[in-house]
């Protein structure tokens, strides 16, 4: 597969924002993805391109509170391109960039209903952080992002993963 992962250009935002709701199965996600990721956080925001086709993106940033942490805000892959390693290639690029800047861990959240995202993040080596004990099969934090907005919280240690298997990009 002739896949290129590159830093986002500011103009990529217009293509991403026109696809994002459809890529999330019709959920309104565009409002949570402002242009700033494609302007002020370009070192941590990537797009996946196959030939001329735009097939995925990852929008992240380095924590200003704790610079050892990198946060992935959104990762999305065109439904026609899923299960071909595009999401993994995007995350591997982030992991390599984070490790090369001395960061120790990558964090992300997802909705408890997004079982595909939970399976994907687990496969990428993230652990699910505990929430208040609710007896739920999947640990989540109620109202993490406001009323009704429960979230599963993920953490991946780059030190552990780099010791087990070097990431190649
Ligand atoms: C989650 C998402 C980014 C995965 O992208 P992808 O390119 O299909 O993932 P990959 O092909 O790189 O998969 C990597 C691994 O994760 C697993 N995986 C990916 N999606 C999965 C799913 N829905 N269910 C179970 N496992 C999954 C793959 O099987 C693969 O494991 P393997 O190496 O053992 O085969 C993509 O499905 C997507 O865009 N979903 C909608 C947006 C979303 O929910 N984003 C996450 C929250 S921000």
């Amino acid at each position: 597969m002739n896949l290129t992962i590159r830093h986002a250009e500011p103009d990529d935002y217009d293509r991403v924002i026109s696809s994002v709701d459809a890529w999330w199965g019709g959920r309104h996600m565009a409002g949570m993805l402002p242009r700033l990721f494609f302007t002020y956080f370009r070192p941590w925001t990537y797009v996946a391109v196959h030939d001329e086709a735009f097939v995925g993106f990852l929008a992240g940033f380095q924590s200003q509170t704790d610079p050892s942490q990198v946060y992935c805000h959104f990762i999305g892959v065109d439904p026609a391109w899923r299960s071909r390693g595009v999401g993994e290639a995007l995350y591997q690029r982030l992991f390599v960039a984070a490790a090369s800047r001395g960061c120790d861990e990558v964090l992300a959240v997802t909705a408890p209903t997004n079982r595909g995202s939970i399976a994907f993040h687990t496969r990428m080596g993230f652990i699910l952080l505990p929430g208040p004990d609710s007896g739920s099969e999947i640990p989540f934090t109620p109202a993490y992002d406001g009323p009704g907005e429960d979230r599963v919280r993920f953490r991946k240690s780059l030190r552990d993963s780099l010791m087990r298997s070097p990431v190649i990009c």
Side-chain angles (χ1 to χ4, degrees), residues 112 115 118 128 133-140 152:
R115 298 302 168 103
I118 295 167
L128 279 62
D133 188 9
S134 63
S136 162
E137 175 199 351
I138 304 281
F140 67 91
V152 175

Side-chain angles (χ1 to χ4, degrees), residues 70-150:
V70 171
Y71 185 82
C72 174
H73 179 56
F74 267 35
I75 180 169
V77 172
D78 183 334
W81 282 85
R82 290 188 188 160
S83 302
R84 299 197 214 181
V86 176
E88 179 169 12
L90 285 160
Y91 252 135
Q92 291 289 359
R93 182 68 181 263
L94 184 78
F95 298 156
V96 169
S100 72
R101 289 172 166 85
C103 303
D104 290 336
E105 58 185 10
V106 179
L107 302 158
V109 302
T110 204
T113 51
N114 193 342
R115 298 302 168 103
S117 173
I118 295 167
F120 169 69
H121 279 88
T122 302
R123 188 68 190 89
M124 294 300 95
F126 287 83
I127 59 163
L128 279 62
L129 294 174
D133 188 9
S134 63
S136 162
E137 175 199 351
I138 304 281
F140 67 91
T141 302
Y144 180 80
D145 273 333
E149 300 294 339
D150 304 342

Side-chain angles (χ1 to χ4, degrees), residues 6-129:
R6 61 165 172 77
H7 285 291
E9 299 289 340
D11 288 348
D12 291 327
Y13 180 73
D14 298 302
R15 283 206 286 180
V16 169
I17 208 65
S18 64
S19 305
V20 71
D21 288 354
W23 288 12
W24 262 257
R27 288 175 63 199
H28 178 60
M29 304 300 289
M32 291 190 279
L33 187 66
R35 188 180 290 272
L36 62 86
F37 285 95
F38 292 73
T39 51
Y40 303 116
F41 293 109
R42 288 187 56 223
W44 302 100
T45 294
Y46 302 98
V47 296
V49 179
H50 181 266
D51 294 334
E52 296 294 302
F54 162 74
V55 299
F57 75 99
L58 185 159
F61 56 90
Q62 184 173 16
S63 170
Q64 300 297 291
T65 309
D66 180 349
S68 73
Q69 297 179 327
V70 171
Y71 185 82
C72 174
H73 179 56
F74 267 35
I75 180 169
V77 172
D78 183 334
W81 282 85
R82 290 188 188 160
S83 302
R84 299 197 214 181
V86 176
E88 179 169 12
L90 285 160
Y91 252 135
Q92 291 289 359
R93 182 68 181 263
L94 184 78
F95 298 156
V96 169
S100 72
R101 289 172 166 85
C103 303
D104 290 336
E105 58 185 10
V106 179
L107 302 158
V109 302
T110 204
T113 51
N114 193 342
R115 298 302 168 103
S117 173
I118 295 167
F120 169 69
H121 279 88
T122 302
R123 188 68 190 89
M124 294 300 95
F126 287 83
I127 59 163
L128 279 62
L129 294 174

